[in-house]
Amino acid sequence: MNVTMYDKLLQLPLFQGLCTNDLTHILEKVKLHFQNHKAGTYLIRQGTPCDQLLFLLDGSLTAEREDNERDFVLGEDLEAPFIIEPYSLYGMHPRHTASYLARTDVSVVTIEKSYILTVLAKYSIFQLNYLNLLSNRAQTVQERSWTSHGRNIYEKITNFLLLRCARPTGCKTLRIRMEDLAVLIGETRINVSKVLNEFQLQGLARLSRKAIVVPDMEALANYTASHQTDTFYEP
C-alpha cells in the first residue's frame, strides 16, 4: 500500500490518532476491500443489512432516506473522508437507514464486521474513536429531539431537516409536498410557503415542484437563529 493510501486511512474518524506502525499491524491482520464505483450507482440500499464498515476515501455521495409512511425523501451530500453509519453495525436493528448514491466516481474501503471485535477493538485509540463517534451521535440526536418543535416556523422547518441529517452542514434536498411539510411541523401551508419563499429570496433555498434544496445547511441554521419570532404568524 502506498504512502498516500496510508495518509487517507489515517484521516478516517476511526483511525485518527493511530501511528503508522499501529496501522501497519492492523493491515497485516484485517482484510481491507478497496472498490471503485461510477457516478450514478448505488453503493447501499436503505434497509439492507449492515455487516461491514464502509469508508468513503475519495469522491462524494448522496444519502437518501425515504419515509414511506409520510411520503417524503431527504437527500444530503456527503464528501470524503466519511464513514457510513457506524452506529448501524450493532444493536437490535443492524440495517442501513438510508441509500447511498455515488454523485461522482468514488473510492471506498470496507472492513467486515468480524474484524471489529477480534482485531480493531484491541487498540485503545480505535476503541476511543468508536465510542466518541457513537456518543457524539447519541448526544446530538438527544439535543435535536428536545428542540425539534421550535419556537417559531423558521426553527420548525430548520429543525425538521437537522433532526434527520447525518451532518449539520452541506447540501440537503427534501422531496415533499408543501402541505405535507405543513402537517408534519404543525403549521399552515401559507406560513410554510411564506418562510420557504423568504429562504429562497435570501439564497438559502431553491424551490421547485415537490422539492426544497438547501445548498448550505449551516447557513440556513445561522439565519434561523437570528429570527426569534415570526412577523406574519397566521393561525
Side-chain angles (χ1 to χ4, degrees):
M1 184 181 298
N2 56 43
V3 176
T4 302
M5 189 58 65
Y6 262 91
D7 292 339
K8 287 182 179 179
L9 289 174
L10 290 172
Q11 290 177 9
L12 296 171
L14 294 180
F15 294 143
Q16 287 181 357
L18 286 172
C19 65
T20 304
N21 287 338
D22 284 341
L23 184 58
T24 300
H25 292 155
I26 289 174
L27 297 181
E28 290 174 352
K29 301 175 182 178
V30 175
K31 290 183 179 179
L32 302 183
H33 302 281
F34 293 91
Q35 301 171 354
N36 296 314
H37 297 270
K38 293 292 185 181
T41 60
Y42 279 93
L43 283 67
I44 295 171
R45 293 283 187 174
Q46 181 176 336
T48 57
C50 182
D51 53 11
Q52 61 185 5
L53 286 176
L54 191 150
F55 301 91
L56 177 64
L57 298 179
D58 288 300
S60 60
L61 301 171
T62 295
E64 299 176 340
R65 183 164 186 176
E66 184 173 0
D67 189 320
N68 291 320
E69 181 180 350
R70 297 177 179 86
D71 195 26
F72 70 84
V73 178
L74 177 63
E76 60 179 315
D77 296 345
L78 304 171
E79 306 291 336
F82 186 75
I83 177 173
I84 294 179
E85 297 192 28
Y87 46 83
S88 296
L89 199 60
Y90 297 96
M92 294 179 62
H93 307 288
R95 293 183 175 275
H96 290 104
T97 62
S99 298
Y100 294 85
L101 173 69
R103 294 180 59 239
T104 66
D105 291 349
V106 299
S107 298
V108 301
V109 60
T110 60
I111 300 177
E112 294 177 10
K113 182 177 179 178
S114 59
Y115 289 110
I116 305 301
L117 297 179
T118 59
V119 178
L120 295 175
K122 295 179 180 179
Y123 293 84
S124 59
I125 292 178
F126 180 89
Q127 288 183 23
L128 183 61
N129 287 340
Y130 207 149
L131 287 173
N132 279 335
L133 192 153
L134 297 179
S135 297
N136 288 340
R137 175 175 173 79
Q139 291 164 11
T140 298
V141 171
Q142 172 78 357
E143 181 180 358
R144 290 177 184 171
S145 67
W146 277 94
T147 60
S148 61
H149 298 294
R151 293 168 292 183
N152 56 57
I153 189 170
Y154 295 92
E155 289 187 354
K156 288 180 180 180
I157 294 174
T158 301
N159 289 342
F160 181 87
L161 292 168
L162 284 174
L163 188 62
R164 293 160 176 80
C165 292
R167 282 182 171 177
T169 58
C171 181
K172 319 297 178 187
T173 301
L174 178 62
R175 298 198 294 274
I176 191 172
R177 295 188 306 169
M178 199 172 298
E179 51 266 38
D180 290 337
L181 177 59
V183 170
L184 288 171
I185 65 173
E187 278 291 342
T188 64
R189 186 187 185 284
I190 190 169
N191 280 339
V192 170
S193 177
K194 286 181 177 180
V195 172
L196 289 178
N197 278 283
E198 180 181 339
F199 287 162
Q200 181 165 250
L201 287 173
Q202 296 294 328
L204 299 168
R206 297 192 302 271
L207 307 181
S208 61
R209 187 174 181 273
K210 290 187 65 175
I212 304 163
V213 179
V214 177
D216 185 343
M217 190 66 226
E218 188 173 20
L220 179 64
N222 291 336
Y223 183 81
T224 293
S226 68
H227 288 72
Q228 299 302 316
T229 59
D230 289 332
T231 58
F232 50 79
Y233 203 93
E234 297 187 10

